[in-house]
């Protein structure tokens, strides 16, 4: 009884908090002044490609006004089968959408136990290790929890937490990675993210864009990882190893880039059974707002699963949100996400987001997007295709329409509980106003006002009566 | 038992939070560096007037240093009887003081029910509406809660929530509207507020000030509302109405401005009985820190009612505060307010606000205000008259004195629980120090120190022994 | 039962909050863009000395990039025996480390009772005071709580709270004072702190540095305290005293500076018995996360006490942290601290701080510090000596090594629960990774990877196998 009362109170409080403030304690720090009018938006594609041994990183230009003004950076990573992304961390949190493939990832969270044990067949000859236990020629390894990645997952990474990822599938693992540089957690540069690698000698993803204008006091190629700058002898002593091994940490000779190829595949890790993930999901639905400990906190949720749609109109499409209510860790990252699917003829009602910018990435098909600013000017009216990206600023009104191919997108939002207000349909702002008010403000008869208010009975996603939108822009 | 224990804990926590941090999670982002010395303050009046069909909007210059450095904007709205302010929202929260008159306002909060029903006598002929129910020639309307506005109310508006207002009284409805652009909730420009209208074609209030220096890429007149920039056909489809009605939404031909006149008055809305407001107030006093749901959250509180004064000295005046303790929604807006009334001969003790700027607006009479900075320099020593405004920066010491007319002001504060420290009188900083310390720091005898510490037994508001302050500045 | 359940819930929530986000609601606002690369750090010493009658203030140059980019300012105060620091407050919170000596301090917290009473032998002749009570020629004084300062204390001062300090010991009282100007609580300049004095006519500590470049619209000498700028007559009326005493408040003639000498010592205050402090500490260990009221909140904790070390390796040294878990008020200041002691031959493992900058001040001996940025470049590799200071930016990797003198430092951190990730030793990031991953990312054999992972069994502090570090830099 005591418990449930408490829950009740905490929940009420949470609701108030989330519904009205939007982003308590957010304090996003972005470019200011006349530089950020958001008066002209364009569909953006990556401007830089960094090829590594085991995969590819495509980088959107961090200096673009849309990123500078929304305070985020985006890269698309393609990890080939058997590719291993070197461990790294950033000074701002990351929100990742797995566009394709499957893999595993390991996080290094300070203070969490090495709760996964594995046994290797590898023999070490005579030598006995100090800590690990040798059993009949093989050794036992212990490490922190391994997490699964699969198509459709939204994966949340707190800032400063190092992690690696490995593609153990048969097709490329493609991930859209958003880094929130304006996040309060980032006390370093707000202009571009810094990625700290724990191994290898990777090129900085955002480095060379940063210094277009000639300033090149920092090399175009990465000079190394966090170990590279230390005195080799000190490093060797710190680890209790030879200087030769310390040099390997510093990776002077490593030119494989940030994604390396594991020749024979990564064997030792025994991923839990397939049903493990289902259990994770089920556990999610019993979620009480407070995970048991941070070490076992759920960091991902699948956003592609049609059965979990929040809004569904059979003839128009579906919309799924992942926010602090279904993935609690997001309240600490101050980010959330939505996945939208519009069928041919589908329209997403005119709406605005009260408390967040939305970074819209085209996942499949093509959609026409119209965006309008506070002065009623159209700042974007164009198609967004698969692989393109556009920023919808906070409070700007937007309409999305599928082309005859249909349209799928993922939206990253700069608030842990981004909230939209629709302007047409049930639950819309128009429905909230008395007919008499509508009649007066739009100078129409009460009858017309009544029709304007009640014609659309669907919520958010509508089926267009006319033909699907056809691109006539370049005709 | 469980419940009360929990309350106790939550309350304790709240006290700690509010008392000491002041503004947890505030993160105000204002102009930085040498631009914001606050070294010379002046009493400001509106610099721009925007006349509309049904009323007037007077705008204080957002570019003025006092506003830029405190991160707020202020307008004064005068809505004539039967005037209707078009629905709009801003990217920062608003705190409104009703200086005169009475009216009603409707908010459009996403997810809240249309809980008010009204019946209209209007006949629609043969046609039957899809959703609304026709009963004997009249129709039934449903819309969200209507709220009352009356003189002395402080009204809190979360950012992004659209709202309209209507003057149903006999005298002009005058409102002082503060918009907190530096608020964390605002992820758009921190320099000036953006108002998004849902109807009409109003001029941007802060637009033309913004671009004094010649840049006029945006017209001086508003080009429209949030619907104006959409393709008319798409809009018509979204609402399921004809393109003619969609054009009315886009308001190409509307030149009535942001306040329109309702010819025969707004009839349909049946405001609740007079006692409803009293009930609201009573409910407020039972407030448990957690409103039932956001949809029924109290958004206003009367600050003029003498019976609710927090500090009252019969010979000097009274002071009333509205903060997160008596209007909980303010903790999400990060704003609060005070109302001060000084009688002839009244003095408000020298004091400073620990955790907030205070935007002081003269409501009645004239007062002399002295403001001193960290170096002991006087940065303001002048009269503030009705309709004028001055910003008292955080931590700056201030004394207010009534003239022989008396002085009334409202202060908007950039913290949900702004806290003042008085420097004279009971509860003052001087009272907190040992006499020996006072004696040593001011180089006075213990006897003098004793007198300095204990002479004034009143709290905050004193009666001057001499004559009322007379303006001799321009003599 | 109800109570414990509630605690459990609150604690869980707290853990999640603190562990993962680091600094909920921080929103630090520091210099942006290319100015803050932190690409070259240097050991800093104070650049300005302000001598006062009763002591000395040494000021680090606030304009230095390391301070501008971490958003803090630092001064070292030396209060001579019988010296009294005039009451003052700042617009950002202060975190203070008592390097030497002992004293007392009084805070003036609005709304808190005058809970200390003292009786003076001083006679006032015939006159009877209005408020105080005269008893047989002596008088009774009441004032707010007096707090003790002693070597090794970390003292937390909320922004805007005025306080004085007095050295009642026999040796100088030396305090390192960090002011967090980028703190959310500060709504004034983020570039340099403003100190408001309630008495005297002290020089602004950061004023003259601020205006090197010629702008001297503000004098190099302080023009006074918060009372100086008021009209003397108004001030006299406010306090109910003569204009002569009001002039003493304004301190026109006072040239003693910010620390004054108390000729016969400060007598009246009877500090509680020695055991009082022990009781305070014990109370701390029973701390329930919620202090009873803010007026009795614990504001200090000793960080030098070896028995309270968090990490201790007999051959290498010890490390103690003070954060929101053991000094709850820090969660409202968004600051924390660590004290490190490295014996001769001691090494602090390579590590980074996930969520805070660290301002490292050398307390004793000399240490070699190596700092590496995100590109693997060494940005600092030098000795830090007693009295010097260096800023270790968030996420930058760092190794500390004692010289043969040993090394002691105090670190101020810009987060209420700064969290480090070690890169070597038990609990390190390397331990969290599977051996197979280590082998692949560093291109070493599994055997070498195993050794790299398990060689060091200590946590954080290691004993160097070789000789203690000897400075060869200038050889």
């Amino acid at each position: 009884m005591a418990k449930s009362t408490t829950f009740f109170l905490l929940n009420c409080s949470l609701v108030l908090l989330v519904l009205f403030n939007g982003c308590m304690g957010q304090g996003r720090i972005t470019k200011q002044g006349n530089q950020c009018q958001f008066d002209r938006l364009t569909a953006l594609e990556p401007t830089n490609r960094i090829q590594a041994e085991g995969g590819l990183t495509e980088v959107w230009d961090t200096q673009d006004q849309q990123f500078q003004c929304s305070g985020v950076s985006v890269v698309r990573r393609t990890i080939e089968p058997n590719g291993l992304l070197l461990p790294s961390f950033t000074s701002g949190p990351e929100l990742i959408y797995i566009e394709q493939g499957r893999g595993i990832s390991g996080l290094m969270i300070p203070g969490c136990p090495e709760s996964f044990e594995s046994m290797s067949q590898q023999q070490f000859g005579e030598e006995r290790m100090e800590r690990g236990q040798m059993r009949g020629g093989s050794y036992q390894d212990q490490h922190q929890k391994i997490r699964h990645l699969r198509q459709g997952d939204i994966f949340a990474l707190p800032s400063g937490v190092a992690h690696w990822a490995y593609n153990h599938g048969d097709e490329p693992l493609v991930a859209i990675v958003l880094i929130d540089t304006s996040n309060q957690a980032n006390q370093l540069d707000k202009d571009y993210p810094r990625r700290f690698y724990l191994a290898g000698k990777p090129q900085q993803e955002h480095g060379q864009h940063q210094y277009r204008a000639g300033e090149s006091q920092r090399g175009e190629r990465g000079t190394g990882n966090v170990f590279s700058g230390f005195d080799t002898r000190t490093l060797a002593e710190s680890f209790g190893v030879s200087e030769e091994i310390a040099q390997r940490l510093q990776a002077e000779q490593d030119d494989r880039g940030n994604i390396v190829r594991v020749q024979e595949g990564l064997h030792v890790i025994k991923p839990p059974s397939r049903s493990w993930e289902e259990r994770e999901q089920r556990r999610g639905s019993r979620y009480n707002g407070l995970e048991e400990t941070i070490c076992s906190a759920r960091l991902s949720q699948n956003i592609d699963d049609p059965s979990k749609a929040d809004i569904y109109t059979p003839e128009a499409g579906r919309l799924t949100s992942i926010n602090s209510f279904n993935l609690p860790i997001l309240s600490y990252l101050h980010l959330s996400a939505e996945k939208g699917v519009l069928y041919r003829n589908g329209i997403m009602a005119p709406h605005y987001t009260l408390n967040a910018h939305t970074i819209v990435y085209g996942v499949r098909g093509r959609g026409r997007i119209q965006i309008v600013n506070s002065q009623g000017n159209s700042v974007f009216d164009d198609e967004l295709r698969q692989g393109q990206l556009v920023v919808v600023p906070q409070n700007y009104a937007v309409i999305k329409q599928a082309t005859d191919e249909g349209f799928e997108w993922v939206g990253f939002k700069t608030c842990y509980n981004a909230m939209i207000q629709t302007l047409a349909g049930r639950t819309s702002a128009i429905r909230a106003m008395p007919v008499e008010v509508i009649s007066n403000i739009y100078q129409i008869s009460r009858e017309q006002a009544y029709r304007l208010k009640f014609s659309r009975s669907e919520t958010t996603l509508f089926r267009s009566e006319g033909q699907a939108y056809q691109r006539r822009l370049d005709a």
Side-chain angles (χ1 to χ4, degrees), chain A:
Chain A
M1 159 56 195
K3 200 160 172 180
S4 62
T5 304
T6 307
F7 273 128
F8 176 71
L9 293 172
L10 286 172
N11 286 346
C12 281
S13 164
L14 195 60
V15 168
L16 242 191
L17 172 78
V18 173
L19 281 190
F20 242 2
N21 182 39
C23 279
M24 187 78 175
Q26 177 87 13
R28 294 184 68 75
I29 298 150
T30 46
K31 281 237 182 294
Q32 293 174 33
N34 299 341
Q35 307 161 44
C36 279
Q37 299 298 337
F38 283 122
D39 273 348
R40 176 144 226 85
L41 306 176
T42 48
L44 300 173
E45 297 189 352
T47 54
N48 194 21
R49 292 163 55 90
I50 302 173
Q51 186 68 55
E53 186 192 67
L56 173 70
T57 302
E58 293 160 287
V59 185
W60 273 265
D61 180 7
T62 303
Q63 293 299 300
D64 185 278
Q65 176 225 221
Q66 287 181 61
F67 294 116
Q68 288 285 309
C69 295
S70 56
V72 301
S73 295
V74 182
V75 301
R76 180 167 52 209
R77 267 189 229 296
T78 304
I79 305 177
E80 298 299 330
N82 286 337
L84 174 63
L85 177 66
L86 297 181
S88 70
F89 59 92
T90 54
S91 51
E94 300 175 55
L95 198 62
I96 298 165
Y97 171 71
I98 307 296
E99 191 175 353
Q100 179 191 294
R102 60 201 190 87
I104 52 175
S105 178
L107 271 68
M108 290 148 256
I109 306 176
C112 289
E114 286 86 46
S115 54
F116 273 39
E117 299 198 8
S118 61
M119 188 75 76
S120 164
Q121 304 308 320
Q122 176 71 18
Q123 294 208 357
F124 283 166
E126 301 298 298
E127 193 181 1
R128 292 189 77 80
M129 295 294 128
E130 253 183 72
R131 289 289 129 186
Q133 292 171 28
M134 309 290 295
R135 290 188 200 160
S138 66
Y139 70 96
Q140 197 186 6
D141 190 15
Q142 289 187 337
H143 50 79
Q144 284 192 15
K145 185 173 174 177
I146 302 289
R147 291 158 196 272
H148 287 254
L149 308 171
R150 57 169 191 179
Q151 185 178 324
D153 276 353
I154 289 286
F155 199 86
L157 266 171
S159 64
V161 172
H163 56 278
W164 52 267
Y166 174 71
N167 180 353
H168 68 0
D170 300 324
E171 58 176 352
L173 175 64
V174 181
I176 311 303
V177 180
L178 175 127
I179 307 163
D180 187 11
T181 46
S182 289
N183 197 281
Q184 58 183 20
N186 179 17
Q187 299 187 6
L188 294 174
D189 321 64
K190 303 296 183 193
D191 287 16
Y192 72 107
R194 301 215 205 177
R195 188 169 289 278
F196 295 76
Y197 280 97
L198 298 191
K201 194 180 164 185
Q203 194 177 335
Q204 280 287 314
E205 288 159 4
H206 300 280
Q208 83 194 92
H209 286 261
Q210 188 63 13
Y211 297 97
R212 263 186 200 153
E215 309 178 43
S216 55
Q217 72 266 40
R218 60 174 59 178
E220 294 209 348
R221 307 220 123 246
T223 54
N225 61 54
V226 298
F227 295 115
S228 307
F230 289 124
D231 175 54
T232 307
R233 198 181 131 208
T234 312
L235 201 59
E237 269 183 10
S238 295
F239 278 93
V241 296
S242 67
E243 293 199 27
E244 287 69 38
I245 294 186
Q247 278 167 356
R248 288 305 181 97
L249 287 176
Q250 297 183 309
E252 270 302 307
Q253 311 303 329
D254 191 342
D255 56 0
R256 298 174 297 169
N258 64 340
I259 306 173
V260 303
R261 194 179 303 129
V262 178
Q263 295 302 345
E264 304 147 31
L266 212 58
H267 291 305
V268 283
I269 299 143
K270 295 202 185 66
S273 70
R274 202 176 47 79
S275 66
W276 174 83
E277 256 176 293
E278 261 91 62
R279 256 184 292 126
E280 276 271 301
Q281 299 293 342
R282 247 181 291 125
R283 212 169 51 127
S285 64
R286 288 206 319 270
Y287 139 70
N288 60 13
L290 306 162
E291 299 286 347
E292 284 157 59
T293 83
I294 192 63
C295 299
S296 61
R298 198 159 41 87
L299 300 181
S300 69
Q301 170 99 340
N302 199 281
I303 202 172
D304 276 1
D305 186 346
S307 70
K308 289 194 183 129
D310 294 312
I311 294 172
Y312 175 53
T313 305
E315 293 145 358
R318 62 176 196 265
L319 196 66
T320 313
S321 294
I322 290 185
N323 52 36
S324 61
F325 289 121
N326 48 26
L327 188 57
I329 192 75
L330 291 179
S331 56
Y332 307 108
L333 268 65
H334 290 284
L335 294 169
S336 60
E338 72 171 19
K339 176 74 191 290
V341 176
L342 281 181
Y343 307 146
R344 180 188 153 88
N345 280 326
I347 295 182
M348 181 167 171
H351 67 278
Y352 64 92
T353 303
L354 275 80
N355 48 8
H357 300 306
T358 308
I359 292 86
V360 176
Y361 173 82
V363 173
R364 226 171 303 280
R366 292 176 298 125
R368 181 193 186 187
I369 298 184
Q370 300 181 48
I371 307 175
V372 176
N373 72 5
S374 64
Q375 296 175 302
N377 296 319
S378 172
V379 296
F380 185 87
D381 181 2
D382 207 345
E383 275 193 14
L384 195 76
R385 280 191 298 272
Q386 179 176 355
Q388 289 183 330
L389 203 151
V390 72
V391 174
V392 181
Q394 183 193 17
N395 289 359
Y396 279 43
V398 58
I399 297 180
K400 296 194 186 82
Q401 274 177 285
T403 60
D404 46 11
E405 301 173 31
F407 181 49
E408 259 183 64
W409 74 92
V410 64
F412 299 95
K413 304 192 167 208
T414 58
C415 176
Y416 57 76
N417 192 43
M419 189 166 40
I420 71 168
Q421 168 72 281
T422 48
L423 299 170
R426 213 154 36 119
T427 75
S428 72
I430 293 287
R431 281 283 181 110
M433 286 190 278
V435 167
E436 277 255 331
V437 170
I438 296 173
S439 161
N440 275 286
I441 64 178
Y442 295 123
Q443 298 181 286
I444 51 181
S445 72
R446 286 192 190 86
E447 195 177 333
Q448 290 171 320
Y450 198 88
R451 203 177 299 127
L452 186 68
K453 184 171 173 178
F454 292 108
S455 293
R456 276 288 180 194
S457 59
E458 304 97 323
T459 302
T460 311
L461 302 177
F462 308 149
R463 184 185 148 80
S464 163
E465 299 303 316
Q467 287 186 297
Y469 165 72
Q470 304 273 349
R471 196 180 201 198
R472 281 172 301 260
L473 297 174
D474 42 16

